Amino acid sequence: MKGATAEKDASMQKQKEMIANHFSELARVKETRKKVVYTFVPGNLTELINHFGMLPVLPEINALQSGMRGKSAEYISIAEKAGHSEDVCTYVKADIGMLRAGNIGPTGEPLPKPDLLLLSYTGCFTFLKWFELLREEYDCPVVMLHVPYQGDGEITQEMREYVSNQIRDVVIPEFERVSGVRYDHDRMKEQLKLSVRAEDDLVWVLNSARARPSPIDAWFGGVYYIGPMFTSFRGTQDAVDYYTMLREEVQDRLDQKLGPVTPDGPMREEKYRLVIEGPPNWTSFREFWRMFADEGAVIVASSYTKVGGLYDRGFRHNPDDPLGTMADYCMGCYTNLNFPQRTALLEGYINDFSADGFLINSVKSCNSFSAGQLLILRELEKRTGRPGGFIESDLVDPRYFSAANIKNRLESYFQMIEARRKGATS
Amino acid sequence: MSTALAETSEKLLALSRRAESLYDDLDLRAVTEWKSRGKNRRAIGFLPIYVPREIIHAAGALPVGLMGGADRVEIVRGDSYFQSYICHLPRSVIELAVGGRMDACDGFLFPSICDVIRNLSGMFKMLLPGKYVHYVDLPQNFDTALGGRFYISELKLMARDIGNLTGVEVTDDRLRASLAAYNENRVALRRLLHARRDRPWEVPTLDYYLLLRAGYMLPVEEHTAMVNEYVELAAQAGRPRMDNIRVAVRGAFCEQPPLGLLRTLERAGCYVVDDDFVLGSRFIEQDLDVHGDPWDALAQGFMHHSLPAASKYDQRRTKHADFVKRVRDYRADGVIFMAPSFCDPALLEQPMLQKALEDADIPFTAFKYSEDTGQFQVIREQAGTFADALKLWGNA
Ligand code: SF4
Ligand code: SF4
C-alpha cells in the first residue's frame, strides 16, 4: 500500500514535468519555430491550438504564478506607475507589470512573444481590454472569438452557430495561416477523445469529495487538479496519464478513509464540509489554506474549479462534432452562467456534497465573479438553511489580503456552524 | 433685454425645467402617466449604454433609460448587495428596483457592456421574478455573416418578447417607421451636438445634458420636438461667450456624473464640446436606411456606424487615430478623462487613449467620480488649473 504523501508526489510530479516541458518548449521556439498563442483560461480552445502545433500561453496563469512567487506586488506597482488605475483587475496589472519587467516566466526564462492573441471572450469583459492593451505591446494579429453569455440561462441554436461559425470562419483560417498547418478533422476527433478520457477522470476525482471524510480538498487542492485540464494539456496523452494517476491516488485515499493532503500533511479530523464560491487568493495561498485545514475545514465543492468547464454537470467534448462541441464548451463555463444558474449550481453542490455551509471569497479584482455575490449568499441561506460566510481578498494584490481579518471571520463562521449543530441536537 | 430676447430666455428656461423635472423623476411618474393614456401600454427599462430602442418603439412600448439614481437616492438596501469595490450605479439601480420605484417598467434590457451590468441582469431575474428581463448580447464580431447574423437573431427575439407584452407584432413596416422616428431624433441630436461644438456658449453643459436625459424618458417624437425647439431658441438667445477652454470628456458613458459635477466643469472654465455622457442616446451616428430590410439596417448601424466605446471591441485597431481625429474635429484644446470609480471598462481604456493623446501632443487631465459625489472643490481646482494652463500655454 502506498502512503498518502508518496501518492501526492506521483501526480504532482507528473504535472510538474508537464509544466516544465511546456515552458522549455516555449523557451525553444526560436529554434523549433513553433508558434505561440496567448489566450485565456475560461472557454479556451486548447485542443485547437495544439492541433496546429502551436503553444498556448495563458496570461492569467502567469499572473497567478507571479502571485504565488511573491512577484505580483512589484508587477502591479509597475503597471500602476505606468498609469493603470488602482481600481481595476489585478490580473491585468500583474501581467502588464511582468511584461514591462522583461516577461520572465516561472522558470526564470523570458516568455516568447505571441504570434497570435486569441481573444476568446468568455465570461469576462476585462479580457477584451486586457488584449487590447497587450496588442499595443506586440505587433501580432488578434482573433476575437465572441462567446455569447447565457443571459437567459440557456445555449440557443443561434448562439451555438455563432460561436462554431466563428471558429470555422475566423479562428481556424487564422490558425492555419499563422502555423502553416492544415486543419484535419479526423485528427481533431482523436484529440477530443483524449479530452473525454481525462474529463471522465477529473469528474470522478471531484465527485470523490462526496465521501466522508472527503479524500480531496476541492478548492485548495482542486486548483492543482484542474491545472492540466484547464490549461495547455487537454486533449493530450499526458493529460490522460495525469488524471489516471490522480484517480488512482484518490481511490487509494478513499479506500483508506484518509482526508486531503494539506500544506502540513494529511488532514486529521474532518470537522466542517464547505462549498465555496469565488477564486482563491494566490499571494498567501498556503497561509490561507492553513486557516481552513487547522480548523478541520475541507472544501468539498467549489465554483472556481468550474471556470474551465462544468464537466461534473455532464459536459463532455463530443469528438463527433468538434466545432459544435467547442462552442458548447466555451459557452458552458461557470463565469458564463447567469446568476440564477450560478445560484442553482451552488445549491446543488451544498446538497449533493452534504456541506455544513458555504463561503464566498469575494475577490476585489473580479467583477465577473464578485458583482452581486451577496445576493447569491442570501439566496443560498434561504434555500438551504445552512449558514453562509463571506470573506474578502484579492487574487494577486497582497494589499487586499488581511490575514487577521479573514481568520477572525472564519473563526466566527465556524462558531456559527457549531452553534447551529448544537441547536439542532438540543 | 428686449422683449423678444426675454421671451426666448423664458422658453429656454421652461424647456430646461421640463428636462430637469424628467431627470428628477426617479419614480418614473411620467412613464406611468404615459402608460395611463392608452390600453395595453408597456414600458421597457434599459441600462447603459446602448440598446436598439427602435425595437421597443416598434412593439408599441416606451423605452425608458435607467441611468442610476445619481446623488438623489439614499442607498439603504443597494449596499447590501454590492461590495465596496463595485461601482455605484448598480447600487442605486437595485435600490430603486427593490424599493418599487421602477414598477412602471414591465421589462428590463441589460446590454452587454461589462460584468457588473451582466450580473445585474441575473439579479433582476431573481429579485423581480414577474418581470421580463433580457440580457442583450451585442456582437463583438463585426462581420455581417457572423456577428450580424447573430445580432439579427437577438433583435428578433427581443421584438417577439416585447411584442408579446404589448400584443403588437413588430412587422417590417412598423420597424421601418420606428427607424424613421429615431432617424429624426438623430438629426435633432446632431444639431444639438453641432451647436455645442460650434457655439458652446449657446448651450450650457447642464441644459445639454438634461436634454439628452429627457430622451430617456420621453416618447421619441416628443423628445425630437423638444431638442429642435431648444436648438432654435438657443441660437436666438444671445447668451454671452465666456473665456473658456474647449474640452472633450471621456469615460462617463455609463454611471453618470452628478449635475453638480457638470456645473463645476463649466464654472472652472471648461466648455465641454464633445463628451460621452448618455452615450446610448446617439450611439448610432448616421441615419438608418428605412427602405430596405429594417433588421439589417439596425444591425449594420450598430456594427459599422456606432460610436467607439470601451465596451466595444476595436476590431479595426483605429481606436487611437479615431480618438485623436475626433478631438481635433471638435477643436478641443484638451481632454478630461472622468470615469466612475471602479469602472473596469473606462479605466482600462484610459491608458490607451492617454497614450494616443500623448503621441499627438494633446493635453489631458484625469479624475474619478461616483454618481453620488457631493464635493466638487478638488475637481474644480483640478479642472480650473487645467483650463488656466491651457489658456496660458495652449492655443486656447
Ligand atoms: S475580471 Fe476576473 S475573470 Fe476577468 S480577467 Fe480579472 S480575474 Fe479574470
Ligand atoms: S460604471 Fe462601469 S463597471 Fe459600473 S456598470 Fe457601468 S460600465 Fe460597468
Side-chain angles (χ1 to χ4, degrees):
Chain A
M1 194 177 66
K2 293 175 270 175
T5 314
E7 286 161 3
K8 181 192 102 181
D9 285 342
S11 67
M12 276 284 221
Q13 198 50 42
K14 170 76 183 163
Q15 185 171 159
K16 267 190 187 161
E17 281 165 21
M18 287 157 70
I19 293 170
N21 287 341
H22 182 68
F23 279 102
S24 101
E25 279 219 63
L26 284 169
R28 290 187 298 119
V29 290
K30 277 210 176 103
E31 305 142 42
T32 61
R33 294 177 173 272
K34 283 199 167 195
K35 302 297 178 193
V36 177
V37 178
Y38 285 18
T39 193
F40 294 107
V41 171
N44 65 47
L45 298 181
T46 292
E47 292 93 342
L48 201 62
I49 295 170
N50 288 336
H51 186 86
F52 291 93
M54 301 191 288
L55 298 169
V57 168
L58 301 156
E60 301 126 294
I61 304 292
N62 296 341
L64 84 82
Q65 278 170 343
S66 301
M68 282 185 138
R69 288 185 295 131
K71 294 273 190 192
S72 53
E74 176 198 336
Y75 292 158
I76 289 166
S77 143
I78 293 173
E80 287 180 358
K81 282 193 188 117
H84 288 272
S85 167
E86 243 189 56
D87 291 358
V88 301
C89 170
T90 52
Y91 264 8
V92 182
K93 286 184 286 184
D95 187 43
I96 288 186
M98 177 173 127
L99 172 67
R100 297 266 163 103
N103 222 15
I104 307 296
T107 53
E109 287 179 277
L111 289 171
K113 291 182 176 172
D115 297 289
L116 182 76
L117 296 171
L118 172 60
L119 206 184
S120 58
Y121 175 72
T122 299
C124 164
F125 279 82
T126 299
F127 289 158
L128 168 69
K129 307 316 295 176
W130 192 339
F131 270 14
E132 280 187 349
L133 284 159
L134 272 201
R135 76 180 180 189
E136 308 226 312
E137 314 277 343
Y138 301 116
D139 187 21
C140 75
V142 188
V143 172
M144 154 65 86
L145 174 64
H146 176 208
V147 175
Y149 178 63
Q150 292 197 46
D152 288 335
E154 59 173 352
I155 297 172
T156 62
Q157 190 54 27
E158 287 78 14
M159 290 159 74
R160 196 165 192 263
E161 272 170 21
Y162 179 34
V163 179
S164 58
N165 289 348
Q166 288 178 84
I167 297 174
R168 187 192 62 207
D169 297 348
V170 183
V171 180
I172 289 181
E174 191 61 13
F175 277 13
E176 287 185 331
R177 197 186 64 75
V178 169
S179 68
V181 175
R182 300 286 299 171
Y183 176 71
D184 177 339
H185 193 68
D186 293 328
R187 193 156 55 81
M188 192 69 209
K189 282 181 159 184
E190 294 310 310
Q191 283 180 262
L192 291 171
K193 283 182 190 160
L194 294 178
S195 303
V196 175
R197 285 175 57 191
E199 287 159 4
D200 283 343
D201 283 341
L202 170 66
V203 169
W204 186 92
V205 168
L206 294 174
N207 280 337
S208 72
R210 293 174 189 232
R212 271 180 199 269
S214 167
I216 63 163
D217 185 291
W219 196 47
F220 292 110
V223 299
Y224 292 100
Y225 306 151
I226 57 172
M229 182 67 74
F230 286 12
T231 61
S232 319
F233 306 104
R234 206 178 51 243
T236 66
Q237 187 59 43
D238 263 342
V240 172
D241 295 345
Y242 167 80
Y243 285 103
T244 310
M245 207 177 263
L246 178 67
R247 179 172 174 163
E248 283 169 8
E249 292 167 3
V250 174
Q251 179 69 60
D252 209 34
R253 287 212 292 278
L254 260 182
D255 293 345
Q256 297 180 64
K257 295 206 178 315
L258 289 174
V261 179
T262 74
D264 301 316
M267 189 152 124
R268 290 180 297 274
E269 188 196 358
E270 176 186 286
K271 279 168 64 185
Y272 310 108
R273 297 170 62 83
L274 305 175
V275 166
I276 197 157
E277 145 77 5
N281 159 272
W282 303 113
T283 48
S284 304
F285 186 77
R286 289 183 162 256
E287 184 184 2
F288 196 22
W289 190 350
R290 278 197 188 96
M291 290 183 199
F292 288 76
D294 288 352
E295 298 282 346
V298 59
I299 310 296
V300 287
S302 67
S303 52
Y304 183 66
T305 50
K306 313 298 152 38
V307 292
L310 282 170
Y311 300 110
D312 63 327
R313 286 305 194 235
F315 175 80
R316 292 291 181 280
H317 279 90
N318 175 5
D320 294 326
D321 176 17
L323 302 192
T325 202
M326 282 190 250
D328 288 340
Y329 170 66
C330 290
M331 287 185 283
C333 296
Y334 180 72
T335 45
N336 209 48
L337 304 185
N338 75 4
F339 251 55
Q341 288 174 297
R342 281 173 63 182
T343 312
L345 184 76
L346 289 162
E347 182 189 0
Y349 286 159
I350 294 165
N351 293 324
D352 298 350
F353 288 79
S354 316
D356 298 301
F358 54 92
L359 269 176
I360 288 178
N361 180 39
S362 180
V363 291
K364 174 186 172 284
S365 272
C366 188
N367 285 349
S368 177
F369 258 103
S370 306
Q373 263 171 335
L374 287 157
L375 176 62
I376 296 184
L377 181 82
R378 272 192 229 170
E379 190 64 24
L380 288 176
E381 281 186 328
K382 199 165 77 192
R383 291 191 200 174
T384 67
R386 277 168 256 189
F390 193 78
I391 48 180
E392 289 182 277
S393 66
D394 188 52
L395 296 155
V396 289
D397 193 335
R399 290 173 295 186
Y400 299 100
F401 185 86
S402 160
N405 198 308
I406 294 175
K407 209 166 181 334
N408 273 341
R409 289 223 186 174
L410 283 178
E411 277 167 9
S412 331
Y413 178 65
F414 295 133
Q415 281 165 12
M416 183 155 77
I417 297 182
E418 288 297 347
R420 296 260 180 118
R421 280 180 180 161
K422 281 197 188 114
T425 52
S426 62
Chain B
M1 197 192 284
S2 73
T3 327
L5 262 187
E7 255 177 45
T8 306
S9 301
E10 272 299 306
K11 285 183 187 160
L12 277 173
L13 192 62
L15 278 176
S16 62
R17 283 213 177 114
R18 163 104 173 101
E20 186 158 10
S21 75
L22 290 166
Y23 172 87
D24 281 331
D25 185 4
L26 289 174
D27 296 291
L28 308 181
R29 282 187 301 269
V31 176
T32 309
E33 201 267 319
W34 178 84
K35 284 173 72 176
S36 73
R37 275 189 268 144
K39 245 180 71 188
N40 241 4
R41 285 193 163 189
R42 300 279 184 266
I44 304 292
F46 66 92
L47 278 286
I49 305 173
Y50 170 78
V51 302
R53 286 177 288 165
E54 290 86 342
I55 296 279
I56 304 172
H57 184 265
L62 180 70
V64 181
L66 305 172
M67 306 293 282
D71 48 1
R72 294 160 302 149
V73 186
E74 195 195 343
I75 308 293
V76 181
R77 284 166 282 204
D79 278 342
S80 65
Y81 290 90
F82 294 102
Q83 303 87 320
S84 52
Y85 47 77
I86 306 283
C87 58
H88 200 273
L89 173 124
R91 299 165 204 277
S92 62
V93 167
I94 284 278
E95 187 71 39
L96 293 166
V98 299
R101 301 175 75 181
M102 289 182 179
D103 285 357
C105 293
D106 302 283
F108 298 92
L109 298 177
F110 293 79
S112 55
I113 62 157
C114 76
D115 296 319
V116 175
I117 297 286
R118 189 196 67 177
N119 289 3
L120 196 59
S121 71
M123 296 173 75
F124 264 56
K125 275 186 190 287
M126 289 165 73
L127 290 166
L128 306 176
K131 299 276 184 181
Y132 167 65
V133 174
H134 182 67
Y135 177 76
V136 186
D137 226 328
L138 301 162
Q140 297 285 8
N141 172 301
F142 303 102
D143 182 327
T144 306
L146 295 166
R149 193 170 140 197
F150 170 71
Y151 188 43
I152 288 174
S153 71
E154 269 287 302
L155 295 175
K156 291 193 169 166
L157 183 76
M158 262 185 286
R160 187 204 64 194
D161 290 348
I162 301 169
N164 282 344
L165 288 175
T166 55
V168 174
E169 189 193 345
V170 181
T171 60
D172 287 2
D173 280 342
R174 281 194 69 91
L175 187 54
R176 280 192 201 98
S178 299
L179 298 188
Y182 277 91
N183 278 347
E184 283 178 24
N185 192 252
R186 280 182 262 275
V187 172
L189 284 175
R190 277 201 297 273
R191 290 179 70 198
L192 180 69
L193 293 171
H194 292 166
R196 292 275 304 154
R197 181 192 60 193
D198 299 337
R199 299 172 304 281
W201 54 93
E202 277 182 9
V203 187
T205 307
L206 206 61
D207 280 8
Y208 158 73
Y209 180 78
L210 291 170
L211 281 172
L212 293 183
R213 288 294 294 266
Y216 272 21
M217 289 286 274
L218 290 174
V220 63
E221 300 79 4
E222 270 184 56
H223 183 242
T224 303
M226 181 187 218
V227 174
N228 281 332
E229 189 186 351
Y230 186 96
V231 174
E232 275 149 33
L233 290 167
Q236 304 153 20
R239 284 171 165 154
R241 181 178 182 164
M242 317 288 277
D243 180 28
N244 283 0
I245 60 156
R246 301 166 57 90
V247 297
V249 162
R250 280 298 178 282
F253 50 79
C254 178
E255 181 173 317
Q256 295 294 292
L259 298 186
L261 175 46
L262 300 179
R263 257 186 229 111
T264 301
L265 289 183
E266 212 150 67
R267 284 184 189 153
C270 302
Y271 280 138
V272 180
V273 293
D274 183 38
D275 62 85
D276 54 5
F277 307 138
V278 203
L279 193 62
S281 61
R282 57 231 151 85
F283 202 51
I284 295 186
E285 282 197 290
Q286 64 181 49
D287 297 347
L288 299 180
D289 174 24
V290 293
H291 302 296
D293 181 327
W295 308 91
D296 266 350
L298 256 185
Q300 293 298 322
F302 173 77
M303 297 204 310
H304 303 301
H305 306 293
S306 57
L307 289 167
S311 57
K312 205 178 92 184
Y313 180 49
D314 170 28
Q315 185 160 288
R316 293 181 301 121
R317 300 176 89 146
T318 54
K319 187 196 299 278
H320 300 66
D322 286 350
F323 183 45
V324 168
K325 180 172 183 309
R326 174 103 183 178
V327 171
R328 291 200 168 126
D329 285 352
Y330 277 71
R331 302 190 305 282
D333 304 308
V335 173
I336 294 181
F337 290 100
M338 42 185 260
S341 296
F342 302 108
C343 175
D344 262 33
L347 293 169
L348 285 162
E349 176 91 344
Q350 203 167 294
M352 292 184 265
L353 297 183
Q354 289 183 343
K355 168 90 176 35
L357 295 182
E358 274 162 8
D359 291 346
D361 221 6
I362 297 171
F364 60 86
T365 187
F367 56 81
K368 291 185 287 186
Y369 66 86
S370 158
E371 61 173 357
D372 67 340
T373 299
Q375 295 293 328
F376 304 109
Q377 190 50 34
V378 175
I379 291 174
R380 181 166 183 162
E381 275 163 27
Q382 189 175 338
T385 310
F386 185 61
D388 291 344
L390 283 188
K391 279 182 208 162
L392 211 57
W393 308 111
N395 322 318

